[in-house]
Amino acid sequence: PSLVDDEHVCLLHQYALNKPAGKSIRGTTKVFDQPHVSTFYTSTTKGKQAESNISPASLTFTGFASKFINLSTKPLNLYWDGGYIASSGPTGDNHIQFVGTIPPFESVGTATQPGHSFFLSATYDKEHVLKRWTITEDEAVLYYDPWSDLSPDAQQAEADTWTSEGKWTETQRFSRDAWIVDRSFGRDYLVQTSRFWLAAFPQPLSHYASEHEEHAISHGEPYLHMWRGNSIGQTFTIETTNLYFKSLPDYLPRLQGGDYEINIESQRKLEMAQYQSSTWRNDEDPGHLESSMELKLKTLSVAPQVFEVRRFLSKVEVKHLIDLASGVKGDVLLNPSTVSSSTSENKKKEAGTSTNGWIHREQDVVVDTIFRRVADLLKIDEHLMRDRVPDDAVEGDSLPTNERIVEAMQLIRHEEGQEYSPRHDFAYPPILNRYQPKRFATILMYLTGADLEGGETVFPKSVTTDNHDGLKIKPQSGKALVYYNVLPDGNTDDLSQHGGSKVRNGAQYLASIWVWDPIIN
């Protein structure tokens, strides 16, 4: 089952009927219209007055997301070709990096820059090159189509022949047609928005909406809430009952499925009250009587949408996560990070440069409380952030799965001298997955800051009027960033590309949580 199977099949049937006559399919959809940079500022933002005649600053960073699509019936390997580099040999070594295998009628994406070269080859022989590309800023979505030299009529005839002779399956033909429809929509989307269409068309019926109904961009009722910062410095206030831990219980067992039953949850909350407080200050005793507290979500960037919460974690919670990440508690093992990169330069820079480990919200009541606080911050029902039993339904929940829509928390340690190059958090789901699941939002929590030099989070494509290097955010212990990896119309947001500056002194600890929409892939 899926959200839009019937609609998608209908669309492709219309396409098949109209294609022989050279007719287009008329329809209407909503796309996100990026506001002008002049609206990003108010009279109180850096003393700037919103003016229509100001322009965005040109950016020094030229990278972007690129998507490669395989329209053949065979899996193919994608490589980055760095050419020849100096070496001890007389002619140098060819610098080639494997990016990934693209299944038939599927796609693979990577971060790249103008001038980078890629090629596709058969999986059994890297030397059997089928297609080469040199990346330009004018073309981010690249197709390998073995029928590209054929006219539309000849392609249709070939498809009919392949079907009658059993050279491909009905699903494969359906997939090819789906990509052609998507490609056609992408051209119109580019004209309308000046952005590349990196998602898949059509999108699921339920999609995102901002706080205000008039800003909703959807083909149906909205599913996940999406904060919309319209100007830099704009602040939202969120109330949460998931208070700070100011001290820890002596015993922190793992939570089991039965621990989430209502009566047991209520009892646990009462027992934990003596260790919690609604104030971030250290001089306040645990057990402060307030039953809720406020979080301030401040807009740091409008394009992409980036927010900060200065006091998201208490010092006790920060230390607890660092203890888990550093092995003090003994049950979380950090391993060398594996980084998918389109260039060997980045591989060389990042291989073995950081370690990470994963913990689920059931790790203990402290971690569980942090996940609940994240749910409040994003205005998401916390039931969706854990596996549910069939009768544990959320009001308005129409998903066909009881699996959580959030990944485990990733704990990361960067050593002195380490950095990570800009990348995106989003991925590309299969074309026939009509839910089109994506990493919707990222929550990045800083666990070190005071004694750390470097390690800033950088959004090099952030749009401003005066900063050519984008947005750079200084680490601060206990602070959290929230940024969206998608746009309100369901397209992935290329501007969400982000990286980490070199750690110049000390070790940096971070924690990340990724929330998916509408289901986890």
Side-chain angles (χ1 to χ4, degrees), residues 344-361:
S344 300
E345 177 185 358
N346 290 338
K347 275 287 189 182
K348 181 178 180 181
K349 184 188 299 183
E350 296 174 356
T353 62
S354 65
T355 53
N356 67 59
W358 303 84
I359 54 174
H360 289 284
R361 66 177 287 183

Side-chain angles (χ1 to χ4, degrees), residues 97-239:
Q97 181 67 50
F98 174 70
V99 177
T101 299
I102 314 180
F105 303 103
E106 292 300 345
S107 64
V108 162
T110 185
T112 187
Q113 296 180 15
H116 280 189
S117 294
F118 294 86
F119 66 87
L120 274 179
S121 74
T123 55
Y124 55 83
D125 184 3
K126 185 169 63 177
E127 303 302 321
H128 185 193
V129 177
L130 299 172
K131 180 75 173 180
R132 289 186 180 274
W133 296 279
T134 298
I135 301 299
T136 69
E137 61 182 8
D138 299 322
E139 194 172 16
V141 183
L142 302 152
Y143 291 80
Y144 170 66
D145 185 358
W147 296 351
S148 60
D149 293 335
L150 301 179
S151 68
D153 288 343
Q155 289 187 24
Q156 183 71 27
E158 190 73 4
D160 291 340
T161 299
W162 276 47
T163 300
S164 63
E165 295 180 357
K167 292 183 177 180
W168 61 1
T169 66
E170 286 294 332
T171 299
Q172 288 177 322
R173 179 167 187 170
F174 185 90
S175 298
R176 177 182 172 85
D177 285 347
W179 277 117
I180 293 173
V181 170
D182 176 79
R183 189 176 191 177
S184 178
F185 174 79
R187 295 190 188 103
D188 293 337
Y189 185 89
L190 177 61
V191 171
Q192 182 68 31
T193 67
S194 299
R195 293 190 302 269
F196 292 106
W197 177 250
L198 296 171
F201 176 82
Q203 285 290 294
L205 282 172
S206 298
H207 224 76
Y208 319 119
S210 71
E211 179 186 23
H212 305 291
E213 183 179 355
E214 63 267 26
H215 293 152
I217 307 286
S218 65
H219 301 295
E221 293 300 316
Y223 196 74
L224 293 186
H225 173 83
M226 191 173 189
W227 291 107
R228 185 71 206 166
N230 295 314
S231 60
I232 296 173
Q234 182 180 5
T235 301
F236 304 91
T237 300
I238 300 101
E239 185 175 9

